[in-house]
Amino acid sequence: MKILCLTDFPVQAPDRWLWNYLPDASDDVDFLWGGAADRSATWGKLFTRYPAYYRLALRALAQLRRKRYDLVLAWEASVGIPFALTARAFGRAAPPFLLLAFNPGDVGALFEPLIRLGLKRVS
């Protein structure tokens, strides 16, 4: 299976992250990551953290145009929801999308509709 994996931390060869613990898995996994230097709390993360995750989503969509994948997998909602919303906004048909470790945390009521909209893209 060809998988595009999105994380908020670097995964560089020969490291295969979760796949290190699946020695019999023959998956071909490409990693893209986007990190934010500042992990501000509450409203501050809108300006310091999430722009990096939306840039990651745009890079992932560009990667999907160049290569064929069977699955897109994102680690945590902070990376996954921006990808889902960006793919939806651009009307981009993408392979099935899985989101691992979803925890909405302390999001305000203002963001709940966006999260629900993003979750509609999750397989």
Side-chain angles (χ1 to χ4, degrees):
M1 181 178 279
K2 183 78 174 152
I3 300 171
L4 178 60
C5 185
L6 310 175
T7 65
D8 61 353
F9 52 88
V11 179
Q12 298 171 340
D15 186 14
R16 294 190 64 208
W17 187 48
L18 289 176
W19 287 266
N20 288 336
Y21 304 101
L22 304 168
D24 296 332
S26 60
D27 300 317
D28 184 10
V29 185
D30 290 336
F31 293 94
L32 289 178
W33 69 279
D38 182 15
R39 292 188 169 255
S40 299
T42 62
W43 291 98
K45 62 179 135 184
L46 286 176
F47 306 105
T48 62
R49 190 171 172 197
Y50 284 100
Y53 299 146
Y54 280 95
R55 285 190 300 275
L56 172 63
L58 291 171
R59 286 178 35 226
L61 290 176
Q63 180 87 353
L64 288 170
R65 278 194 305 271
R66 288 190 301 272
K67 292 173 103 173
R68 189 189 77 73
Y69 290 93
D70 301 308
L71 177 70
V72 176
L73 183 135
W75 174 248
E76 293 191 345
S78 58
V79 173
I81 297 299
F83 173 77
L85 290 171
T86 303
R88 195 174 172 91
F90 282 91
R92 177 75 173 111
F97 172 55
L98 296 179
L99 176 60
L100 299 178
F102 177 74
N103 178 6
D106 59 350
V107 298
L110 175 68
F111 297 106
E112 286 180 25
L114 279 176
I115 290 172
R116 277 194 218 105
L117 185 64
L119 288 175
K120 288 181 181 180
R121 177 66 184 84
V122 178
S123 299

